[in-house]
Amino acid sequence: MTRRKKVLVLGSTGSIGTQTLDVARKHPERLQIVGLAAGRRASDLLAQAREFGVHALALGDGQADAEGLRTQAASSDDGFFGMGERAVIDLIDASGCDVVVNSLVGAQGLRASYETLAAGKVLALANKESLVVGGDLIMPLAHAADPTYPRMGDDAEFRPRGALLPIDSEHGAIFQCLLGENASEVDRLWVTASGGPFRGKTRDQLVGVTPAQALAHPTWNMGAKITIDSSTLMNKGLEVIEAHHLFGAPYDSIEVVVQPQSAIHSMVEFADGSVKAHLGTTDMRIPIQFALSYPERWDSPVARMDFRTLGSLDFAAPDMDTFRCLALARQAGGRGGTLPCAMNAANEVAVAAFLEGECPYLGIADCVEAVMDEHDVQAVESIEQLVEVDARSRDAARDFISNL
Ligand code: MG
């Protein structure tokens, strides 16, 4: 029997985390869960730890009741339990993992991504904010860990060793379309978007949108933050920046196209005009499993796509006037430096405020724009600098929202 991959799941009680455990459940001979971290759902985390026999555990929220988790960790000689953000990072070393699935929510995931690569472990990345905010720090580490990982334009075959593997469905799709191709022969990356629940609506029609309406995503089943981001198209903006970093792609070579059925997960266009697309059912367990099985493919229990009943595939340009977050994110990415960090922080605050009923739906883009306008852009130098920019931008966003 080949050695099992030892997997640490950060954000294990969230949408990607629970689906990662579902993949592990189907492949016990290939995957061993060795560490789990959650935010505050202590009882869910304990149930996972018991099911998978895990004794390296962390809870990001230091306020939660953790007696059961402490006992679970103490029942093994090499058990570990900690609380708070630092404990989540300590788990990377303490769990003895080979692979870290980073499905933390928001900018807090950056440090975990950084420490994973710095420790020489494989990063299976669902936390796109890591690259949006800190791509300038993360990608040099990924390239150092895997010198065979080409950037778009390099005269080299795209077949990374696999130090950094994207879980985001679009980037997983682009990664698969690029495999075996020469990176110098890639012309454009086509990132597909479902368009969200408000596709085709005008700005006037979006004035009174409620959280419940925005949380009803038509095709993908995801957590609250990303579902709101999908409805504003900010998620697609973040993904454009993510693609820029992951594949070393210039911004003018990354196109966004609305594909409402979400059957095409993204496409790559080559020098001769040929286009490769990645299709499949909208089940996140496919990209999660590929990030864990790479370079192999394993059996999967997900429903198969039946092209006889798929019907039509529609395409449209995104409406960037109505969904301004996509334009703002492109602007932030193009300018670069610390601006994407400021943009992302403002968006996180505005989305949280919207979910709490404290910010109108269209106020999300207004808040992001105001914080970006105020931001003094610098080159990215360190995580500490980004943490500071993030905190300052959150303050600016809260100020903006309290004055609405
Ligand atoms: Mg995505």
Side-chain angles (χ1 to χ4, degrees):
M1 192 171 93
T2 52
R3 186 176 163 280
R4 292 191 294 173
K5 283 186 188 169
K6 296 181 177 177
V7 181
L8 164 63
V9 185
L10 302 181
S12 65
T13 58
S15 174
I16 296 291
T18 53
Q19 294 182 82
T20 300
L21 295 182
D22 204 27
V23 170
R25 227 173 250 129
K26 302 293 188 301
H27 297 285
E29 74 293 355
R30 291 165 160 143
L31 300 173
Q32 180 187 7
I33 304 297
V34 295
L36 296 164
R40 68 179 80 83
R41 291 186 223 162
S43 57
D44 291 354
L45 178 61
L46 181 58
Q48 292 176 339
R50 285 181 175 149
E51 180 189 347
F52 288 90
V54 176
H55 304 281
L57 303 160
L59 210 50
D61 179 355
Q63 307 299 314
D65 174 21
E67 234 2 82
L69 292 166
R70 249 179 253 289
T71 309
Q72 172 75 9
S75 68
S76 167
D77 288 347
D78 51 3
F80 171 94
F81 176 71
M83 291 173 97
E85 275 184 41
R86 187 66 234 177
V88 174
I89 303 299
D90 289 342
L91 210 49
I92 295 167
D93 187 47
S95 65
C97 64
D98 310 310
V99 183
V100 176
V101 174
N102 182 354
S103 54
L104 296 171
V105 176
Q108 57 160 347
L110 170 61
R111 196 179 292 273
S113 290
Y114 188 90
E115 298 291 344
T116 296
L117 289 168
K121 296 171 190 276
V122 172
L123 175 60
L125 185 63
N127 174 261
K128 64 192 77 185
E129 290 87 348
S130 293
L131 289 175
V132 170
V133 172
D136 293 341
L137 300 174
I138 296 293
M139 289 316 295
L141 280 178
H143 286 291
D146 185 356
T148 66
Y149 185 170
R151 298 170 179 80
M152 208 171 132
D154 288 356
D155 182 13
E157 189 192 359
F158 187 88
R159 197 171 291 283
R161 208 173 284 162
L164 167 54
L165 292 155
I167 285 180
D168 210 346
S169 63
E170 294 78 1
H171 306 78
I174 290 169
F175 187 98
Q176 293 195 35
C177 291
L178 286 172
L179 280 175
E181 300 288 349
N182 190 300
S184 69
E185 295 166 0
V186 178
D187 266 8
R188 282 195 286 187
L189 307 180
W190 287 90
V191 178
T192 52
S194 71
F198 307 132
R199 180 173 55 87
K201 298 267 192 260
T202 63
R203 280 183 66 76
D204 285 351
Q205 291 172 309
L206 296 180
V207 169
V209 161
T210 64
Q213 290 171 320
L215 285 170
H217 194 274
T219 52
W220 292 100
N221 177 16
M222 306 174 291
K225 158 70 167 58
I226 186 173
T227 303
I228 301 301
D229 283 349
S230 296
S231 79
T232 63
L233 294 199
M234 175 56 91
N235 183 52
K236 218 41 62 177
L238 299 178
E239 290 181 351
V240 167
I241 302 175
E242 185 184 9
H244 161 78
H245 286 292
L246 265 179
F247 304 112
Y251 281 101
D252 61 6
S253 70
I254 307 171
E255 306 286 355
V256 172
V257 62
V258 175
Q259 205 289 290
Q261 292 83 9
S262 295
I264 297 181
H265 301 151
S266 276
M267 301 177 278
V268 176
E269 179 183 325
F270 297 92
D272 62 356
S274 295
V275 179
K276 281 166 81 172
H278 178 280
L279 290 85
T281 41
T282 52
D283 190 319
M284 283 306 296
R285 290 175 299 180
I286 299 175
I288 292 168
Q289 179 170 304
F290 187 75
L292 294 171
S293 72
Y294 180 80
E296 299 171 9
R297 288 186 193 275
W298 302 338
D299 288 347
S300 160
V302 303
R304 300 302 164 106
M305 182 165 269
D306 186 342
F307 289 93
R308 293 163 300 192
T309 55
L310 180 62
S312 56
L313 292 174
D314 301 313
F315 300 92
D319 174 359
M320 301 231 276
D321 297 324
T322 302
F323 300 97
R324 291 172 55 232
C325 284
L326 175 55
L328 289 167
R330 270 194 172 277
Q331 198 184 315
R335 181 73 202 278
T338 52
L339 192 54
C341 176
M343 173 210 64
N344 178 70
N347 181 60
E348 286 188 24
V349 168
V351 168
F354 168 67
L355 288 170
E356 294 295 319
E358 291 159 5
C359 175
Y361 186 70
L362 294 174
I364 296 173
D366 295 340
C367 175
V368 169
E369 183 171 41
V371 172
M372 280 174 63
D373 282 349
E374 263 177 52
H375 183 67
D376 177 21
V377 184
Q378 297 151 3
V380 172
E381 285 159 8
S382 66
I383 291 200
E384 288 63 36
Q385 170 209 24
L386 290 171
V387 168
E388 205 185 299
V389 168
D390 179 86
R392 251 189 293 126
S393 305
R394 280 171 199 270
D395 287 345
R398 283 187 203 102
D399 271 0
F400 178 86
I401 289 165
S402 66
N403 289 318
L404 279 177

